[in-house]
Amino acid sequence: MVTHPIVPWSEETEDAIRTLVHSEQSHAGMGASFPSGAALVPGTTTARIALVVQGLFELSDSIGYDCVGEYKLLRELIAGRAEIRIFAENIRPTNYPDLSIESIDRLWPWVEKESSATVIYHYCDGWAAFEARFVGLKCRRIVRWHNNTPPWFLAPYSMDYTARSTRGFRNTLRIAAVEAVEFWANSFFSARQLSFLGVEERRIRVVYPISRFLAAREKDAPAPAEAAPAPSHERDETIRILFVGRICPHKGHKHLVATCAALKRLADCKVELVIAGRPDPALQSYLDDARRLARDLSVPLRIAGEVTEEALRRLYASASVFLCLSEHEGFGLPVFEAMRMGVPVVAWRSTAVGELLRSHPLAMDSLDYSGLARRILAACDPTYRGLLVAWQKKHVLGAYNAGIVAGQLLAGLKRADAAPRRGESAGEDVLEQPPLPPLDPLPDGWENPPEIAALSEIARDTAERLMTRHDLDSYLALLERSRISFEADFFHRAMATRFHSDRPILGSFLRMLRRATLSTQSGIVSAVAMLEQDLFGRADKIEAELRELRGAFEAFCARERAPANGTAVLAAAARDPTAIFYDAPYFNGDGQYSGYFCYTRGAVAPSRELAKTLFELFRPASALDAGCAAGYTVAALRDLGVDASGIDISEWAIKEARSPFVGRLDISTQVIEGSFDLVIAYDVIDHIAPERLAFAMQNLWRATAGWLVMVPGLHNEGTTFDRSEPMHQVFHDRDWWQSFLEQQCGVPLDRVATAALSNTDHSRAFGYQGRIFVVRKPHLRPKPESRSHAGFSLGPKPARTNGHARPTRTNGHAKPTRPEADTPEHAK
């Protein structure tokens, strides 16, 4: 992501904002808004303003943009009268090279004893660890609420996302139960949603979000004459329809396809639908449905995916029309980005999109595909296009620009309304509009063709649908009772429902039959698992004996051939292991310095196979590779849709990786930040000095929210030097490692998962069979009446995939930090 300087006023609003910021009345008003007499006036106590967001790492993240934009805007507006800092848990510094973003641990000592401080928390869908302390602060607390996607859009495609959505609304109400917490909604629609859920209106203010395109001055946007010319279907050119937004069910992609199908039939022209936005692997079935619909209706569909800003500007420049048919938007930033780039907009006035477009000549109150298609043709008229772009800039962008946002932001700090309520003077109901060109009449039999009639079967929501407490209670109850994901196999789904049947007559007989059949199946599965474990146990014993013989032979060779070399190697490793060993010769030294011969050539394919194996077995949403070397496994996991990161102690490996997802961190001395569904440590733990081994093991265990896979090197007890790998510092057999792992993690080895991973082709091919240890984090489900963390209970039971518990996704990224209290004394 490219960062942009925030210029807090355009040329048209510069004088107004200067007056707002620098007038004596403005100073006095802001001074009165802060508790304990703190003021934003030179010469008085400097207020502290903290902006907090959980993650700053994604390429296209509207919440992250808004948080960073507010931070820069406030620094421009009130620099010198307030100390402003930004905090985050998961950070990708390469995306924000010009910002000083601090870890969340540094927030608490900065604000906890400062009653005059203000903490602005950019809420996503819940952050229990932060919120537990946030609600207990004595200073001013503001929740920047960006709205949440209602769960009914997500339920047909992902139970995990349905649970996240429901928890997002539930946690919002838990925070709102604290009377002193304020809310800044990103639109009047979002403010109505909060009010509808029971949040008092006096605690809600509207502050529009900051867009990446809002950062530029108005003069930098293309003038109407510079806007991309509209291809004319009369010249048999392609009409390119663009939409920008995440590929999620509430964004209305199926409606886009249906409108393009209606457009093709209405005008008999070439149409291309281009969708730019981040796809989500967990919602792949939704994208498949949209592609299938486009194929059935013969609509050319191009999924551009997540694009850079430069590529996005090119898409805007080549678009004939920006079409927005989203069924739920907290604000709808891409609509206004398109207008600012000189693209005509056709839209459905739904949720927040309808606020600033309620007088737009090409916006519709109903989801009418034929009516939308006719408006697209009107937008492609060369004369009308220029008039429309000029009208959009004057009447729509005039109500949403940097000056408006700056005024709302300052008014929010002063606890005053920043903009009129809906229906007042935010824009006249009747504006002078460019007259629409004549719309072609609908052809005969327009409504009758089956491919058009079938479009009525596409599910659609109403334009003003709001989440209610009844909806929230219903989804919470359903999620609690389902217990497992609908994607689980039939056996576990039947076991979870206790073989329930709705057939009153045959129900008992069918239930007994299913129980007998599935019990037999269960018995066979259990017997096979026991047989596998017995076979693996025998194989482990044989391999242990072979390793003992091999270790004795290698120890004899080491003493006979190079007795001094071993001592020199260990002494050098104690002085500076990273600089001496984990460098280019270590990885690509033809086996002279380690067990590697040419890592950069030979490790790519095995890493891809490992990533595929881990993905098929564990299906993680996020993963951390501890000791990732050049990050080949991390890259392969990301190609599979996993939010993967890597850490390694080697500076050479980090440079070789050339990836923002790989960072330098020593797991034996530095705390791993973040939480991951899967943490792996292949051939890493045995490189750590014995006195730091316990801390490293606990560090890995603390970083996982689900599975931990550890693969140490197994050696003969008493061995002091490993010729094939001089950096091995811990020498133990399998029984010792299993005992150590279970003791440090506090849970027994997951034998089924260990056997499953050991039995894969990758493990067999590379000799990992006898060296794999898998443990799983237990997920505790507290009773409904129980409470923890200042009123916040633990999350729901994780979804289940293939019979194994999988935690809900946590987007965590490791960030090197020096440990504090958790670090043993010798490691500090």
Side-chain angles (χ1 to χ4, degrees):
M1 184 193 72
V2 181
T3 57
H4 315 280
I6 297 292
V7 181
W9 47 72
S10 64
E11 292 181 346
E12 290 82 354
T13 58
E14 182 170 358
D15 293 337
I17 294 302
R18 287 186 185 276
T19 302
L20 174 66
V21 176
H22 298 293
S23 67
E24 294 181 0
Q25 182 180 2
S26 176
H27 288 287
M30 282 187 286
S33 69
F34 285 84
S36 302
L40 294 177
V41 185
T44 63
T45 304
T46 301
R48 294 182 176 183
I49 300 178
L51 291 101
V52 179
V53 64
Q54 186 172 16
L56 283 175
F57 52 86
E58 291 180 336
L59 182 64
S60 55
D61 176 16
S62 59
I63 296 178
Y65 271 122
D66 188 41
C67 183
V68 171
E70 286 185 357
Y71 168 75
K72 292 184 175 181
L73 187 56
L74 286 173
R75 287 174 62 89
E76 290 280 349
L77 293 173
I78 55 177
R81 287 173 287 126
E83 186 179 359
I84 305 166
R85 293 161 67 174
I86 186 170
F87 301 87
E89 182 183 44
N90 306 315
I91 309 166
R92 185 167 298 151
T94 54
N95 285 353
Y96 303 92
D98 58 337
L99 289 185
S100 176
I101 305 172
E102 303 178 60
S103 67
I104 200 66
D105 294 336
R106 303 186 65 178
L107 167 70
W108 308 114
W110 194 59
V111 298
E112 279 183 325
K113 296 182 180 180
E114 291 289 332
S115 60
S116 62
T118 298
V119 179
I120 304 174
Y121 166 36
H122 282 252
Y123 183 86
C124 183
D125 55 11
W127 182 7
F130 171 81
E131 291 157 11
R133 298 184 68 174
F134 172 75
V135 297
L137 292 174
K138 302 302 181 184
C139 61
R140 187 181 180 189
R141 291 149 295 173
I142 300 172
V143 174
R144 175 50 159 152
W145 202 63
H146 298 265
N147 213 315
N148 286 91
T149 304
W152 53 77
F153 292 107
L154 303 165
Y157 299 100
S158 170
M159 288 300 294
D160 284 348
Y161 274 95
T162 304
R164 286 179 58 180
S165 168
T166 307
R167 287 197 304 271
F169 282 102
R170 180 198 61 187
N171 291 342
T172 298
L173 292 181
R174 287 181 171 175
I175 298 174
V178 181
E179 184 70 17
V181 175
E182 304 170 47
F183 286 84
W184 286 1
N186 61 344
S187 65
F188 291 106
F189 168 74
S190 296
R192 291 197 302 279
Q193 175 65 87
L194 285 173
S195 179
F196 209 68
L197 288 171
V199 182
E200 300 91 334
E201 289 190 10
R202 62 179 177 81
R203 300 164 58 189
I204 306 171
R205 288 168 181 81
V206 173
V207 179
Y208 289 159
I210 295 178
S211 159
R212 71 186 100 183
F213 291 90
L214 193 67
R217 290 182 181 270
E218 299 289 343
K219 64 182 179 64
D220 295 332
E226 298 169 352
S232 171
H233 61 277
E234 296 178 356
R235 299 194 303 270
D236 196 32
E237 295 183 2
T238 301
I239 297 178
R240 186 165 290 106
I241 309 298
L242 174 66
F243 176 71
V244 178
R246 289 185 301 123
I247 301 180
C248 295
H250 65 286
K251 294 292 186 179
H253 297 90
K254 294 182 182 179
H255 302 312
L256 300 175
V257 173
T259 301
C260 290
L263 177 62
K264 285 184 61 180
R265 186 170 185 84
L266 178 65
D268 192 24
C269 58
K270 293 182 180 179
V271 176
E272 181 186 24
L273 175 58
V274 181
I275 295 174
R278 182 174 67 250
D280 194 319
L283 299 171
Q284 182 63 39
S285 58
Y286 170 72
L287 178 57
D288 293 341
D289 286 350
R291 281 176 165 157
R292 190 179 304 110
L293 180 64
R295 184 173 60 252
D296 294 343
L297 297 177
S298 301
V299 173
L301 172 62
R302 177 159 65 94
I303 305 295
E306 191 174 37
V307 298
T308 63
E309 184 193 332
E310 181 181 355
L312 182 59
R313 288 179 180 272
R314 288 197 297 268
L315 289 177
Y316 279 130
S318 64
S320 307
V321 172
F322 186 91
L323 179 62
C324 178
L325 303 179
S326 181
E327 297 181 78
H328 185 273
E329 289 289 350
F331 187 79
L333 282 173
V335 174
F336 307 100
E337 292 177 353
M339 291 184 184
R340 202 167 294 277
M341 295 301 295
V343 182
V345 168
V346 176
W348 176 34
R349 296 188 188 98
S350 69
T351 57
V353 175
E355 289 182 11
L356 296 178
L357 299 187
R358 63 180 181 275
S359 298
H360 194 287
L362 296 187
M364 295 190 67
D365 292 321
S366 61
L367 196 56
D368 176 8
Y369 300 138
S370 60
L372 291 164
R374 298 168 82 187
R375 280 162 174 76
I376 290 174
L377 291 176
C380 292
D381 182 273
T383 303
Y384 183 73
R385 179 185 177 90
L387 296 174
L388 178 64
V389 169
W391 186 93
Q392 290 178 163
K393 180 177 181 181
K394 178 180 178 181
H395 295 291
V396 180
L397 297 183
Y400 172 58
N401 55 39
I404 296 293
V405 177
Q408 291 176 332
L409 195 57
L410 292 176
L413 289 175
K414 294 190 297 179
R415 293 186 173 95
D417 280 337
R421 293 294 179 183
R422 186 190 184 202
E424 297 178 8
S425 59
E428 297 84 354
D429 290 335
V430 179
L431 299 175
E432 182 181 352
Q433 302 176 2
L436 279 173
L439 300 178
D440 297 333
L442 294 176
D444 295 336
W446 170 258
E447 302 296 342
N448 296 328
E451 67 270 21
I452 299 300
L455 299 182
S456 62
E457 300 178 2
I458 300 176
R460 64 178 67 186
D461 205 352
T462 60
E464 282 292 304
R465 178 77 178 276
L466 295 169
M467 182 82 169
T468 69
R469 284 182 177 264
H470 287 302
D471 295 319
L472 179 59
D473 291 342
S474 298
Y475 276 94
L476 286 172
L478 290 172
L479 288 166
E480 175 67 22
R481 291 173 183 174
S482 65
R483 297 182 182 276
I484 61 173
S485 173
F486 291 155
E487 290 86 1
D489 60 83
F490 173 75
F491 173 74
H492 288 90
R493 192 162 67 245
M495 293 294 290
T497 57
R498 299 183 180 179
F499 305 93
H500 177 71
S501 175
D502 294 328
R503 297 179 176 87
I505 299 177
L506 298 177
S508 300
F509 172 74
L510 293 175
R511 184 162 58 251
M512 292 176 59
L513 181 62
R514 284 198 299 270
R515 279 183 176 176
T517 303
L518 294 177
S519 296
T520 303
Q521 175 189 342
S522 177
I524 294 173
V525 172
S526 300
V528 171
M530 292 175 61
L531 180 60
E532 287 181 346
Q533 292 180 20
D534 181 64
L535 291 175
F536 282 127
R538 293 174 181 269
D540 288 345
K541 186 175 181 180
I542 295 173
E543 288 185 3
E545 293 175 352
L546 289 174
R547 284 194 301 272
E548 184 176 356
L549 291 173
R550 186 167 58 249
F553 175 74
E554 291 177 350
F556 172 78
C557 292
R559 288 193 299 269
E560 291 295 319
R561 298 179 182 177
N565 185 47
T567 303
V569 166
L570 292 176
R575 289 195 304 271
D576 191 357
T578 303
I580 293 179
F581 283 100
Y582 300 122
D583 53 7
Y586 175 86
F587 289 95
N588 293 329
D590 295 327
Q592 301 178 42
Y593 304 94
S594 68
Y596 297 117
F597 284 81
C598 185
Y599 179 88
T600 52
R601 182 178 66 243
V604 176
S607 297
R608 290 175 181 169
E609 185 65 24
L610 174 59
K612 180 180 177 182
T613 299
L614 295 171
F615 180 78
E616 290 176 350
L617 282 178
F618 300 103
R619 295 288 176 177
S622 58
L624 174 69
D625 185 356
C628 65
Y632 299 149
T633 303
V634 174
L637 284 170
R638 297 193 71 86
D639 290 341
L640 294 171
V642 180
D643 192 3
S645 303
I647 51 178
D648 200 283
I649 195 174
S650 168
E651 294 180 353
W652 175 88
I654 304 306
K655 293 178 181 178
E656 181 67 23
R658 296 189 297 275
S659 169
F661 311 108
V662 175
R664 188 173 184 274
L665 188 141
D666 182 357
I667 64 172
S668 69
T669 61
Q670 296 172 285
V671 175
I672 301 172
E673 291 190 0
S675 182
F676 306 84
D677 292 350
L678 173 67
V679 175
I680 62 173
Y682 272 67
D683 293 315
V684 173
I685 197 75
D686 48 330
H687 288 248
I688 296 171
E691 65 271 16
R692 300 198 300 269
L693 198 60
F695 175 83
M697 190 71 256
Q698 295 171 12
N699 202 11
L700 294 171
W701 179 241
R702 187 165 43 235
T704 184
W707 300 95
L708 170 61
V709 177
M710 188 183 74
V711 185
L714 301 180
H715 308 279
N716 179 41
E717 294 293 336
T719 303
T720 57
F721 175 63
D722 187 350
R723 277 181 58 85
S724 64
E725 182 57 83
M727 286 305 297
H728 282 160
Q729 300 191 51
V730 181
F731 302 89
H732 293 291
D733 59 15
R734 181 178 178 84
D735 291 339
W736 187 94
W737 279 112
Q738 179 176 334
S739 176
F740 175 77
L741 178 70
E742 293 176 343
Q743 179 184 9
Q744 298 299 323
C745 298
V747 296
L749 183 72
D750 192 318
R751 295 183 179 275
V752 174
T754 300
L757 182 56
S758 299
N759 200 35
T760 60
D761 292 338
H762 176 272
S763 299
R764 290 178 175 178
F766 296 95
Y768 289 124
Q769 281 181 289
R771 302 200 283 129
I772 293 175
F773 300 85
V774 182
V775 289
R776 185 185 67 183
K777 214 148 202 183
H779 190 88
L780 303 178
R781 179 189 291 275
K783 295 181 180 180
E785 66 273 15
S786 66
R787 291 291 185 268
S788 62
H789 302 295
F792 287 79
S793 62
L794 298 175
K797 188 175 182 179
R800 298 177 70 90
T801 303
N802 297 328
H804 298 296
R806 178 170 64 85
T808 53
R809 176 175 180 175
T810 304
N811 289 331
H813 291 272
K815 175 175 176 283
T817 58
R818 297 295 304 178
E820 301 296 340
D822 292 332
T823 309
E825 192 62 31
H826 61 264
K828 292 185 179 180

